[in-house]
Every structure is written in C-alpha cells, then in structure tokens.
Coordinates of all heavy atoms in Angstrom, one line a residue:
F1 N 91.6 19.2 94.5 CA 90.9 18.6 95.6 C 91.4 19.0 97.0 O 90.6 19.3 97.9 CB 91.0 17.0 95.5 CG 90.2 16.5 94.3 CD1 90.6 15.2 93.8 CD2 89.1 17.1 93.8 CE1 89.9 14.7 92.7 CE2 88.4 16.6 92.7 CZ 88.8 15.4 92.2
A2 N 92.7 19.0 97.1 CA 93.3 19.3 98.4 C 93.0 20.8 98.8 O 92.7 21.1 99.9 CB 94.8 19.1 98.3
D3 N 93.1 21.7 97.8 CA 92.8 23.1 98.0 C 91.4 23.3 98.4 O 91.1 24.1 99.3 CB 93.2 23.9 96.8 CG 94.7 24.0 96.5 OD1 95.5 23.7 97.4 OD2 95.0 24.4 95.4
R4 N 90.5 22.6 97.7 CA 89.1 22.8 98.0 C 88.8 22.2 99.4 O 87.9 22.8 100.1 CB 88.2 22.1 96.9 CG 88.3 22.7 95.5 CD 87.6 24.0 95.5 NE 88.4 25.1 96.0 CZ 88.0 26.2 96.6 NH1 86.7 26.4 96.8 NH2 88.8 27.1 97.0
A5 N 89.3 21.1 99.7 CA 89.1 20.5 101.0 C 89.6 21.4 102.1 O 88.9 21.6 103.1 CB 89.8 19.1 101.1
D6 N 90.7 22.1 101.9 CA 91.3 23.0 102.9 C 90.4 24.3 103.0 O 90.4 24.9 104.1 CB 92.7 23.4 102.6 CG 93.7 22.3 102.8 OD1 93.3 21.3 103.5 OD2 94.8 22.3 102.2
A7 N 89.6 24.5 102.0 CA 88.7 25.7 102.0 C 87.4 25.4 102.6 O 86.5 26.2 102.6 CB 88.6 26.2 100.5
G8 N 87.2 24.1 103.0 CA 86.0 23.7 103.7 C 85.0 23.0 102.8 O 83.9 22.6 103.2
V9 N 85.4 22.6 101.5 CA 84.5 21.9 100.6 C 84.5 20.4 101.0 O 85.6 19.8 101.3 CB 85.0 22.0 99.2 CG1 84.2 21.1 98.2 CG2 84.9 23.5 98.7
K10 N 83.4 19.8 101.2 CA 83.2 18.4 101.5 C 83.4 17.6 100.3 O 82.7 17.7 99.3 CB 81.9 18.2 102.1 CG 81.6 16.7 102.6 CD 80.3 16.6 103.2 CE 80.0 15.1 103.7 NZ 78.7 15.0 104.3
I11 N 84.4 16.6 100.3 CA 84.7 15.8 99.2 C 84.4 14.3 99.5 O 84.9 13.8 100.5 CB 86.2 15.9 98.8 CG1 86.5 17.4 98.4 CG2 86.5 15.0 97.6 CD1 87.9 17.6 98.0
R12 N 83.5 13.8 98.7 CA 83.1 12.4 98.9 C 83.5 11.6 97.6 O 83.0 11.9 96.5 CB 81.6 12.2 99.2 CG 81.1 12.9 100.4 CD 79.7 12.6 100.7 NE 78.8 13.2 99.6 CZ 77.5 13.0 99.6 NH1 76.9 12.2 100.5 NH2 76.8 13.5 98.6
M13 N 84.3 10.5 97.8 CA 84.7 9.7 96.6 C 84.2 8.3 96.8 O 84.4 7.7 97.9 CB 86.2 9.7 96.5 CG 86.8 11.0 96.0 SD 88.5 10.7 95.6 CE 89.0 12.4 95.2
L14 N 83.6 7.7 95.8 CA 83.2 6.3 95.8 C 83.9 5.6 94.8 O 83.8 5.9 93.6 CB 81.7 6.3 95.5 CG 80.7 6.6 96.7 CD1 79.3 6.9 96.2 CD2 80.7 5.4 97.7
L15 N 84.8 4.6 95.2 CA 85.5 3.8 94.3 C 84.9 2.4 94.4 O 84.4 1.9 95.4 CB 87.0 3.7 94.6 CG 87.7 5.0 94.7 CD1 89.2 4.8 95.1 CD2 87.7 5.8 93.4
G16 N 85.0 1.6 93.3 CA 84.5 0.2 93.4 C 85.4 -0.6 94.3 O 86.6 -0.4 94.4
D17 N 84.7 -1.5 95.0 CA 85.5 -2.4 95.9 C 86.3 -3.4 95.0 O 85.7 -4.2 94.3 CB 84.5 -3.2 96.8 CG 85.2 -4.0 97.9 OD1 86.3 -4.5 97.6 OD2 84.6 -4.3 98.9
P18 N 87.6 -3.3 95.1 CA 88.4 -4.2 94.2 C 88.2 -5.7 94.4 O 88.5 -6.5 93.5 CB 89.8 -3.8 94.5 CG 89.8 -3.2 95.9 CD 88.4 -2.5 96.0
D19 N 87.6 -6.1 95.5 CA 87.4 -7.5 95.8 C 85.9 -7.9 95.4 O 85.5 -9.1 95.7 CB 87.7 -7.8 97.2 CG 89.1 -7.6 97.6 OD1 90.0 -7.9 96.8 OD2 89.4 -7.1 98.7
S20 N 85.1 -7.0 94.9 CA 83.7 -7.3 94.6 C 83.5 -7.9 93.3 O 84.3 -7.7 92.3 CB 82.9 -6.0 94.7 OG 83.2 -5.1 93.6
P21 N 82.4 -8.7 93.2 CA 82.1 -9.3 91.8 C 81.7 -8.3 90.8 O 81.8 -8.5 89.6 CB 80.9 -10.3 92.2 CG 80.4 -9.7 93.5 CD 81.5 -9.2 94.2
E22 N 81.2 -7.1 91.3 CA 80.8 -6.0 90.4 C 82.0 -5.5 89.7 O 81.9 -5.2 88.4 CB 80.0 -4.9 91.1 CG 78.7 -5.3 91.7 CD 78.7 -6.1 92.9 OE1 79.8 -6.2 93.6 OE2 77.7 -6.7 93.3
V23 N 83.1 -5.3 90.4 CA 84.3 -4.8 89.8 C 84.9 -5.8 88.8 O 85.3 -5.5 87.7 CB 85.3 -4.4 90.8 CG1 86.7 -4.2 90.2 CG2 84.9 -3.1 91.5
A24 N 84.8 -7.1 89.2 CA 85.3 -8.1 88.4 C 84.6 -8.2 87.1 O 85.1 -8.3 86.0 CB 85.3 -9.5 89.1
Q25 N 83.2 -8.0 87.2 CA 82.4 -8.1 86.0 C 82.7 -6.9 85.1 O 82.7 -7.0 83.8 CB 80.9 -8.1 86.3 CG 80.0 -8.3 85.2 CD 80.2 -9.5 84.4 OE1 80.2 -10.6 85.0 NE2 80.4 -9.4 83.1
R26 N 82.9 -5.7 85.6 CA 83.2 -4.5 84.8 C 84.5 -4.7 84.1 O 84.7 -4.3 83.0 CB 83.2 -3.3 85.7 CG 83.4 -2.0 84.9 CD 82.3 -1.8 83.8 NE 82.7 -0.7 82.9 CZ 82.0 -0.3 81.8 NH1 80.9 -1.0 81.5 NH2 82.4 0.7 81.1
G27 N 85.5 -5.3 84.8 CA 86.8 -5.6 84.2 C 86.6 -6.5 83.0 O 87.2 -6.3 81.9
T28 N 85.8 -7.5 83.1 CA 85.5 -8.4 82.0 C 84.8 -7.7 80.9 O 85.1 -7.9 79.7 CB 84.6 -9.6 82.5 OG1 85.3 -10.3 83.6 CG2 84.3 -10.5 81.4
D29 N 83.8 -6.8 81.2 CA 83.0 -6.1 80.2 C 83.9 -5.2 79.4 O 83.7 -5.0 78.2 CB 81.9 -5.3 80.9 CG 80.8 -6.1 81.5 OD1 80.8 -7.3 81.2 OD2 80.0 -5.6 82.3
E30 N 84.9 -4.6 80.0 CA 85.8 -3.7 79.3 C 87.0 -4.4 78.7 O 87.8 -3.8 78.0 CB 86.4 -2.6 80.3 CG 85.3 -1.6 80.7 CD 86.0 -0.3 81.3 OE1 87.2 -0.3 81.4 OE2 85.2 0.6 81.6
G31 N 87.1 -5.7 79.0 CA 88.2 -6.5 78.3 C 89.5 -6.4 79.0 O 90.5 -6.7 78.5
I32 N 89.5 -5.9 80.3 CA 90.8 -5.7 81.0 C 90.8 -6.6 82.2 O 91.9 -6.7 82.9 CB 91.0 -4.3 81.5 CG1 89.9 -3.8 82.4 CG2 91.1 -3.3 80.3 CD1 90.2 -2.4 83.0
N33 N 89.8 -7.4 82.5 CA 89.8 -8.4 83.5 C 90.3 -7.9 84.9 O 89.7 -6.9 85.4 CB 90.6 -9.7 83.1 CG 90.0 -10.2 81.8 OD1 88.8 -10.3 81.6 ND2 90.8 -10.6 80.9
D34 N 91.3 -8.4 85.4 CA 91.8 -8.0 86.7 C 92.4 -6.6 86.7 O 92.7 -6.0 87.8 CB 92.9 -9.0 87.3 CG 92.3 -10.4 87.5 OD1 91.1 -10.5 87.7 OD2 93.1 -11.3 87.6
G35 N 92.5 -6.0 85.5 CA 93.1 -4.7 85.4 C 92.2 -3.6 86.1 O 92.7 -2.6 86.6
M36 N 90.9 -3.9 86.2 CA 90.0 -2.9 86.8 C 90.3 -2.8 88.3 O 90.4 -1.7 88.9 CB 88.5 -3.3 86.6 CG 87.5 -2.3 87.3 SD 87.7 -0.6 86.6 CE 87.1 -0.9 84.9
A37 N 90.4 -4.0 89.0 CA 90.8 -4.0 90.4 C 92.1 -3.3 90.6 O 92.3 -2.6 91.6 CB 90.7 -5.4 91.0
A38 N 93.1 -3.6 89.7 CA 94.4 -3.0 89.9 C 94.4 -1.5 89.7 O 95.1 -0.8 90.5 CB 95.3 -3.6 88.8
Q39 N 93.5 -1.0 88.8 CA 93.4 0.4 88.7 C 92.9 1.1 90.0 O 93.3 2.2 90.3 CB 92.5 0.8 87.5 CG 93.1 0.5 86.1 CD 92.1 0.9 85.0 OE1 91.0 1.3 85.2 NE2 92.6 0.7 83.8
I40 N 91.9 0.4 90.6 CA 91.3 1.0 91.8 C 92.4 1.1 92.9 O 92.5 2.1 93.6 CB 90.2 0.1 92.3 CG1 89.0 0.2 91.3 CG2 89.7 0.6 93.7 CD1 87.9 -0.8 91.5
K41 N 93.2 0.0 93.1 CA 94.3 0.0 94.1 C 95.3 1.1 93.7 O 95.8 1.8 94.6 CB 94.9 -1.3 94.1 CG 93.9 -2.4 94.7 CD 94.5 -3.8 94.6 CE 93.6 -4.9 95.1 NZ 94.1 -6.2 95.0
T42 N 95.6 1.3 92.4 CA 96.5 2.3 92.0 C 96.0 3.7 92.3 O 96.7 4.6 92.8 CB 96.8 2.2 90.5 OG1 97.4 0.9 90.3 CG2 97.8 3.3 90.1
A43 N 94.7 3.9 92.1 CA 94.0 5.2 92.4 C 94.2 5.6 93.9 O 94.5 6.7 94.2 CB 92.6 5.2 92.0
L44 N 94.0 4.6 94.8 CA 94.2 4.8 96.2 C 95.6 5.3 96.5 O 95.8 6.1 97.4 CB 93.8 3.5 97.0 CG 92.3 3.3 97.2 CD1 92.1 2.0 97.9 CD2 91.7 4.4 98.0
V45 N 96.5 4.7 95.8 CA 97.9 5.2 96.1 C 98.1 6.6 95.7 O 98.7 7.4 96.5 CB 98.9 4.3 95.2 CG1 100.3 4.9 95.3 CG2 98.9 2.9 95.7
F46 N 97.5 7.1 94.6 CA 97.6 8.5 94.2 C 96.8 9.4 95.1 O 97.2 10.5 95.3 CB 97.0 8.6 92.8 CG 98.0 8.2 91.7 CD1 97.6 7.1 90.9 CD2 99.2 8.8 91.4 CE1 98.5 6.7 89.9 CE2 100.0 8.4 90.4 CZ 99.7 7.3 89.6
Y47 N 95.8 8.8 95.8 CA 95.0 9.6 96.8 C 95.6 9.6 98.2 O 95.0 10.1 99.1 CB 93.6 9.2 96.8 CG 92.8 9.5 95.5 CD1 91.9 8.6 94.9 CD2 92.9 10.7 94.9 CE1 91.2 8.9 93.8 CE2 92.2 11.0 93.8 CZ 91.4 10.1 93.2 OH 90.6 10.4 92.1
R48 N 96.7 8.9 98.4 CA 97.2 8.7 99.7 C 97.4 10.1 100.5 O 96.9 10.2 101.6 CB 98.6 8.0 99.6 CG 99.2 7.7 101.0 CD 100.5 7.0 100.8 NE 100.4 5.7 100.1 CZ 101.3 5.1 99.4 NH1 102.5 5.8 99.3 NH2 101.1 4.0 98.8

C-alpha cells in the first residue's frame, strides 16, 4: 500500500465506525460481540 501510494495510486479505505450500531450488530452476528469494534481500532493502529 505504501509503495503504491508513493507511486501515485489513490488508496481509499472504508472501515466500520467502531461506535456504530451496525458494527455492534455484525459483532453479534459473528459471535464476537465487542470484538468487532476492537478489531477496527487495532486495524487503525497497524495503519498508523
């Protein structure tokens, strides 16, 4: 991603809002509950 961005490639990422009911519902659907919101926050750390 970093190499492509430096080469002029436009990178757009959409992550679920960790505070949204949609993310909470997806966490419930997958059986990980608050784990979904935690994963999103962790992904942001990796993308820092």
